[in-house]
Amino acid sequence: MTEADYVIIGAGSAGCAMAYRLAEAGRSVLVIEHGGSDAGPFIQMPGALSYPMNMGIYDWGFRTEPEPHLGGRTLATPRGKVIGGSSSINGMVFVRGHAKDFDHWAESGAAGWSYADVLPYFRRMETWHGGDAGEFRGANGPLHVTRGPRRNPLFHAFVEAGRQAGYEVTDDYNGEKQEGFGPMEATIWRGRRWSAANAYLKPALKRPNCRVIRALARRVVIEDGRAGGVEVERGGQVEVIRARAEVILAASSINTPKLLMLSGVGPARHLAEHGVAVVADRPGVGANLQDHLEVYMQYASQEPITLYKYWNLWGKALVGAQWLFTGTGLGASNQFESAAFIRSDKGIDYPDIQYHFLPIAVRYDGRAVAEGHGFQAHVGPMRSKSRGAVTLRSADPKAAPVIRFNYMSHPDDWTEFRKCVRLTREIFAQEAFRPFVKHEIQPGQTVQTDDEIDAFLREHAESAYHPCGTAKMGRRDDPMAVVGPDCRVIGVEGLRVADSSIFPRITNGNLNAPSIMVGEKAADHVLGRPMLAPANSEPWVSPRWKSAQR
């Protein structure tokens, strides 16, 4: 239990996928995870999703520093501290990202990570339950991807309102055509959260060559320029877990840069400030931090058809009991069953706004609005130009890092967010919502001018919990790159990073799917296998993008 071919730090989305593929290939694997079991209804019941990300037993409990452009607010930055990592506490929404996101990765120095290169890995990782897999979807992978039943008429009203407003409709935003309104997809299978733990790690642990160690990773042990193991603390004792071949960091875009810096890999001056001996001066470690910010556009409902009727002790007990005994009912869905991706303006070639629609007016922390029956759309821009950083607070491995996103620090963010608010109002004003919309709860009809919208954004914008980019993948001669396209840390032998840290730029939508894809593809790099053959599938791009917004 103290040595293996490969030692993976973090049993999260990418780490679980890597453990599965490396163990399948016959290598011995040890996965270090600080968090505990993912058993129990709070994690496994999709409808209970607001609970685990607000529970200290499952979440690292990170918060940002005061954000200067959001009125000095500190925002929650949940990251999974549990088997399955953030795939065990997230909203279970499955979005691959747009094809052009990955083409941008390749153009910016991540050679071999274009859409043609990554599509085969997206296909390999999934079993899609939305119809015939065709050339874009997978049929035999460990990760089950499903759609909610969309029984509530509000889900259909949202898609129809989009169509009435002149937008595209799409049958599959993860397939050929992301742009448009349509059904949302989820990592839910047979009424349960289908996390990376359920899909990948638990099957891997059935093999004799894969094990999990519950411990706090303190640093990577690097000797003579080579990673030889991981220093951990468990049971009050500090010990070293040895890696015969490689150490793989998959600890999240918050903890991965922290561990790199504690191990001597990072900006030399910053490491020196904390008394950490410099192994490799990589100024990009912790830099390039990105996220999606969003607001909840909330509307009071004329009809008592929303989930608010269950938002009481008796209603929740009823939903929970039905799920517990039958695995069905409202508890078997994350309630994100309709979605949209649209372009904010002409001249933008692919979607830069995402919508999650929810048939209740409620916050992520589970607090329902006082007005009763309502519904909401989560909306936000996809490609903010703002950049932040993760830095060390101290050399103590138990100290949380300093997290500064610098949200809304680029002027374009304000322009894009105002468009989000105004375009959303137009959608909810369509005929399809006439029987349902009573009035706008948030922001409220008094909020109309740029200044009024900006004030609302400063007070109410929330993280969508998609941090990434803090160990950027790029060319080896790029001073800000941390890993090369093979996921090897530049300047250190035997050390790789495989999680959302390596994203050069944030992808469209939720990050769980591309994070798992990174684990899948990185495993082939680690094993020295040829990459899967590039795909020839051509994604849909609006033929009118240069001249029309929709």
Side-chain angles (χ1 to χ4, degrees), residues 166-177:
Y167 292 103
E168 295 286 334
V169 172
T170 179
D171 290 331
D172 179 13
Y173 64 72
N174 282 313
E176 180 183 12
K177 180 182 179 183

Side-chain angles (χ1 to χ4, degrees), residues 16 21 33 58 64-65 201 269 291 319 327 333 364 413 494:
C16 289
R21 295 299 177 191
E33 172 56 50
Y58 299 133
T64 70
E65 298 301 295
L201 187 62
R269 183 179 296 176
D291 191 15
V319 169
S333 168
Y364 260 137
D413 293 346

Side-chain angles (χ1 to χ4, degrees), residues 243-461:
R244 288 188 287 266
E246 291 185 19
V247 173
I248 299 154
L249 257 170
S252 85
S253 57
I254 307 299
N255 275 323
T256 287
K258 173 190 160 182
L259 280 165
L260 282 169
M261 288 184 277
L262 289 175
S263 309
V265 181
R269 183 179 296 176
H270 179 60
L271 300 188
E273 285 170 4
H274 292 285
V276 178
V278 178
V279 172
D281 180 10
R282 301 306 306 175
V285 173
N288 193 46
L289 176 63
Q290 300 160 65
D291 191 15
H292 288 139
L293 209 57
E294 64 183 11
V295 289
Y296 311 156
M297 298 284 287
Q298 297 180 327
Y299 293 82
S301 177
Q302 293 191 61
E303 300 287 334
I305 56 172
T306 76
L307 296 176
Y308 183 74
K309 68 178 96 167
Y310 301 101
W311 221 254
N312 55 66
L313 207 57
W314 177 245
K316 288 180 181 180
L318 216 61
V319 169
Q322 184 181 5
W323 178 83
L324 212 54
F325 292 114
T326 69
T328 63
L330 290 171
S333 168
N334 59 0
Q335 302 306 325
F336 291 116
E337 297 182 13
S338 286
F341 290 90
I342 65 171
R343 291 177 295 112
S344 64
D345 215 333
K346 64 182 181 183
I348 293 168
D349 56 349
Y350 71 104
D352 61 338
I353 292 175
Q354 180 188 18
Y355 286 100
H356 300 65
F357 179 78
L358 194 60
I360 185 173
V362 69
R363 289 165 48 100
Y364 260 137
D365 62 10
R367 290 209 294 269
V369 300
E371 296 210 24
H373 281 283
F375 43 86
Q376 67 192 34
H378 300 199
V379 61
M382 289 292 94
R383 294 186 288 284
S384 165
K385 297 183 181 74
S386 297
R387 295 290 181 271
V390 173
T391 52
L392 292 178
R393 193 175 300 276
S394 81
D396 177 4
K398 292 182 179 176
V402 176
I403 304 168
R404 283 194 184 88
F405 283 97
N406 292 323
Y407 291 120
M408 306 299 284
S409 56
H410 195 286
D412 289 358
D413 293 346
W414 297 94
T415 307
E416 290 168 5
F417 243 123
R418 289 179 210 129
K419 285 179 185 173
C420 287
V421 171
R422 291 181 170 127
L423 292 171
T424 305
R425 283 176 162 163
E426 184 190 8
I427 291 161
F428 282 102
Q430 299 300 313
E431 189 64 31
F433 271 112
R434 193 177 292 269
F436 305 115
V437 170
K438 190 175 176 184
H439 62 262
E440 183 176 300
I441 300 171
Q442 181 178 292
Q445 282 304 325
T446 56
V447 177
Q448 295 293 339
T449 67
D450 285 1
D451 286 348
E452 288 165 347
I453 292 173
D454 290 353
F456 165 73
L457 294 170
R458 259 190 297 279
E459 193 175 340
H460 292 282

